[in-house]
Amino acid sequence: MLYKYRKIISAVLSALFTAVSIDFNDISSAAMNEKHTDLWSYSLTDDGKSACLTGFDFRTANENGYVNIYVPETIDGISVTDISEGILDGSQNRLYLFIPHNFPDYSSLLPYCDKHNIILCDDDDYQYILTRSHDNENYEISLFAYNGSRDYLYLPDEYDGFKVSGIYREFV
């Protein structure tokens, strides 16, 4: 009996995820991360081997109607490993900020979860949204989008140290 329900649920979810994956985004994560690098300013970290994003040109982004902002994996050939605190303070509009899968530390972005949509992109076609938990004390993530072609989805118990709470309410 359980097998029957599992198969029905799997078929329904597969159909929904396939439909959503077509509508959500049809460009690769590599292409997404190359967008708008000219709008970011940065400084080299203390070791001089990586970059810390220090600013974003929100005026130009707003004039061009950008709501999806992609944190680059590299900028001018240098790996981006940090984002300065306060970097999103200049935004007047609610943004979708896409963070690449190899970004080492999200802590400077946590205060912005209430104002912006912080999307964590993994390297396997999944995107998660970072939100405050129901108790408003902690943070959790939910599946936000799936851009692959699998017949099933795997939801881990946690992702990058955050509890995975399920599928985001606006996913379907």
Side-chain angles (χ1 to χ4, degrees):
M1 186 80 155
L2 181 61
Y3 175 76
K4 178 181 174 183
Y5 289 119
R6 189 178 298 161
K7 192 167 182 157
I8 291 170
I9 290 170
S10 177
V12 169
L13 288 175
S14 176
L16 287 172
F17 294 137
T18 301
V20 170
S21 68
I22 293 168
D23 292 335
F24 179 75
N25 204 336
D26 62 352
I27 56 178
S28 72
S29 60
M32 289 190 307
N33 285 319
E34 294 305 315
K35 285 185 167 187
H36 317 302
T37 56
D38 57 323
L39 299 178
W40 293 99
S41 56
Y42 69 94
S43 64
L44 292 178
T45 57
D46 291 340
D47 65 6
K49 296 179 182 178
S50 59
C52 174
L53 298 177
T54 57
F56 186 79
D57 184 354
F58 287 106
R59 184 183 55 76
T60 300
N62 288 334
E63 287 173 1
N64 290 304
Y66 300 148
V67 294
N68 293 340
I69 306 298
Y70 302 94
V71 171
E73 290 184 36
T74 62
I75 191 164
D76 294 335
I78 304 165
S79 293
V80 174
T81 59
D82 199 9
I83 296 177
S84 293
E85 241 179 85
I87 196 169
L88 297 177
D89 290 342
S91 172
Q92 301 300 313
N93 301 325
R94 186 167 186 87
L95 300 172
Y96 286 87
L97 185 68
F98 291 83
I99 311 297
H101 68 90
N102 59 351
F103 198 78
D105 184 14
Y106 310 113
S107 60
S108 63
L109 299 173
L110 294 176
Y112 297 106
C113 285
D114 295 329
K115 183 178 178 186
H116 300 293
N117 298 301
I118 309 298
I119 311 299
L120 309 177
C121 304
D122 78 1
D123 58 351
D124 202 22
D125 299 324
Y126 291 89
Q127 294 177 345
Y128 298 95
I129 187 166
L130 184 60
T131 57
R132 278 196 195 273
S133 62
H134 295 295
D135 63 11
N136 282 329
E137 298 288 326
N138 299 304
Y139 297 91
E140 62 189 14
I141 62 173
S142 303
L143 181 62
F144 179 73
Y146 174 70
N147 297 320
S149 59
R150 293 186 188 94
D151 290 335
Y152 63 92
L153 292 177
Y154 169 75
L155 287 179
D157 292 331
E158 74 172 42
Y159 178 80
D160 276 358
F162 297 103
K163 177 185 177 238
V164 175
S165 61
I167 297 174
Y168 189 61
R169 66 184 175 272
E170 296 175 16
F171 183 83
V172 288

